[in-house]
Amino acid sequence: MLKIVKLAFSYMCHYKKQTLATFLGMVMSAMLISGIGSLLHSGRIADLESARRQYGDYHYIIPDRTGWYENAMKVPDTKDYTITDSGVITVKKEVEEPYQVIFCSADEGYMKSTGRSLIKGEYPDKSDEIALDYYSINNLGVSDNIGDNIEVCGSIYTLSGIISDGVEENVQVFVSQDITLDMEEKFIFLKFDEKREVFEQFSALIKKYEIDFDTTKRNRNVTAYVGGEPTESIIDTLKVAVSNSNAGLVYFLGSLNESKELMSKIVFLVLSIFGAFVIYSLFEITVVKRTEQYAVMQVLGLEPKHLFGTMFVELFVISASGYMLGCIAGNMIAKLIYSNIGTIFSTDSNITEFFISKSIIWQGAVFFLFYIIIICLMIIRKMVKSSDMQMIRNNITYKRFKRGIFSKKSHNLTKLLTKRFMFGKVCTFVGIIISLSLGGVIFLSTTYVAQSTEKNNNHAFRTDEGLGADIKVYIDSDNGGYSISQSIFDNIKKIDGVLQADETSYLLGEIMLENGIFKWKEFFPETANDGTKQEQRIIDNYNGVIVQQGEDSYRLKVNVYGYSDDMINELNDYLIEGKIDSSEIKKSNSVILKPLTDGQGNIGGVDIKPGDTINLKVPKTMGNPELLKFNGIDNEYVEKEFTVAAVCNRPLAKNDYFIGDNGTDNVDIIMTNEQMLNNFKVEEYNSISVRLDDIKKSHSVTEKIHAEINGLSRCMVKEYSDAINQRNKELKYKVCFFYGIAFMLFCISVLHIVNSMKYIVISRRHEFGIMRAMGITDSGFLKMLISEGIRYGVFTSIFMAALYFVVHQIAYYMMIKVFLYIIAEKNIMLLPCIIMSAVNILICIISVIVAGKSILKEDIITEIMHI
């Protein structure tokens, strides 16, 4: 064993250039894997911290109706669960008119859990004192001066403090903990130990204290990152995917992405394979140079297992040292990139801390150890299949070639030799082309994902996050009798600083689904027949979302929206089928349909397409709650037939107060406000989206809007300027993150191409020396190399484009079906492909020229004697 080690070290010392090349290849591979792995890891932590800031640093909300909380906190750390933080908010009174106002008291744990703090003043400790946040102050229209007497819900209170705004969009009045009002209902905000499975701890707690799971609430935006969601095993997920025809591969991949961080694993696998290609190509070069020596040692009695040991020790030492250095350098560069993102792309100086992904480093180490063994076995297998004489002649192959004359039909000797050099060994040529192409494919794919992510985030920003307007004026009620008049809307449009105001009207409607139009019976609890129950509020207020009429007929509740012309036209960004044009829609009195969307992004639940007709039924007045159950007599409703002009996958302005609307789980019918007036005599609005010409005017415009809506019941104003600024910075960071990865891949790809092309030239010194001895000129020699470089560049670019086309289709499918992007760039990125192809050709040409000039500097005899 000691002799094998000494032999391996002797080889490393003697072949310094090859050792250095392999070492640098491992360094680059380790930099790639560990650096990007840590960037992904840091990005995930940044997303988690962003979610904590936006939605609170707690995992679950559990009502305390049996006194379980006091008993649980006596022993918060058990073998089944560990409660690390908790907070209590006690609801003491709820007022419905003229606003929905919640009187409550909260402890320090609640304030910490929800990210709220006392901005100024003190928390109330007397029965006539209250504390408010600015959202409540603005919507109540009261003074924000500490010590002022203000009127809230008919009573006079002293404002003792101001609290930072919370996540919930409701008016909260904080009172003394000792005060007694109409009710005393406690809600517990719990955070568990995130080093353990969070959902298992939560399950153990509710099981121990017999708490009804349906009464609890998850902070989904946080628990999704810390294992706080219910999961099933991979085997169970696979069984569902195979047994359910509606699930399949998409369901399987989507479930893995949610529970097993599929994206990070895919990135790790792709980068590891790319790094493996680099290492294999570099070490194979080293072995080829020593083939004759290995053969001589075999003749002298060295067995294949001894050669395997020599190669393994050599490659292990080089790889281990290169991997450690690469991890250090990769994480240092990644940290530098990460720490500069904020200063380059935003004005925020609060940069998120960089975290090293230890799991990725260990996984990479195991992968490369396994791969080293595979490389050595593959090379030994080749040697075993070759005779000692073949190895001595440096011709490791067991395929016989026929002798022949190749210059009968061609007088261009350099062109002929270029072809023979390239295609003499097809497997070698194909391996080089694949190796050279991989970096470009990964770079193009990463760039494509970056562009699609930027596009998707911008659209999700407006729809799913509701941040399409700087200020939103809306009716905070599920009572259809409240609305915003046309005159108020006109006055808001005239406020100085308002760039654009878009009005939205709303009706609750019902459509008939007959003759098998409704496909997804399992989608709604009312039709699933699997034991699930619809929310009781939906049953009580609207008689459910869907009601079966006959064997294959259903009545489905839908949200009916009236949009401004500008908003109608903006829906083109979310178009799936058909054509959206506000003037055409008004002229033909047609509508836009937003269908159901399942967990895999499919929209086939309701089989309605552009050109189909629907019968839409709406109550004559939204102020009568009984009519919203759609059980009244016919003359209390208006029923109209409409043609569907287009299908889109998201609404813009939404109303969450009736049957709800999260953008996926309900059908929406969208038309212009003019159509709402002409068809249903709807003259007033449910919400107004306001965009400003200068974000700095946000506060003053909000005050003026409050003046306009003063006295209008249940009308609220929400200012989104700060949230929009914060999210814009985060979106810019994510896009920069992807482009940073693409740039790193591009640099490593360039280094790999340069190294490979140099080897292609230098490995033929013997042949080139003979050609020079036969009389080829220096310029002719360089022309031949340039021709070869161009050919390699062209073949590499062709293969890269073909492979990228396949990867592009897979990536598009994954983004739409697995990662559930609202929209992704579907077209092939021609310009980046052309640029990358040109770069490939240029690099190949430059590399062979540089290597060729180094050969020309040597004397011919030395080159001919080089083997």
Side-chain angles (χ1 to χ4, degrees), residues 245-264:
S245 59
N246 293 326
L249 179 63
V250 174
Y251 170 80
F252 181 70
L253 294 176
S255 298
L256 289 182
N257 181 52
E258 289 182 3
S259 59
K260 307 297 182 183
E261 298 183 37
L262 179 64
M263 182 179 177
S264 298

Side-chain angles (χ1 to χ4, degrees), residues 49 168 172 249 252 255 286 345 492 497 544 661 706 728 754 789:
E49 294 307 313
E168 303 89 355
Q172 289 180 294
L249 179 63
F252 181 70
S255 298
T286 304
F345 292 92
I492 289 175
D661 193 355
H706 276 295
N728 273 329
V754 169

Side-chain angles (χ1 to χ4, degrees), residues 72-104:
M73 293 310 295
K74 290 178 180 177
V75 187
D77 187 1
T78 70
K79 64 181 182 66
D80 297 321
Y81 61 82
T82 299
I83 300 173
T84 57
D85 285 301
S86 65
V88 182
I89 185 170
T90 305
V91 178
K92 294 180 175 289
K93 181 181 179 180
E94 291 184 355
V95 177
E96 294 294 328
E97 298 293 343
Y99 304 101
Q100 185 177 32
V101 180
I102 300 174
F103 287 78
C104 57

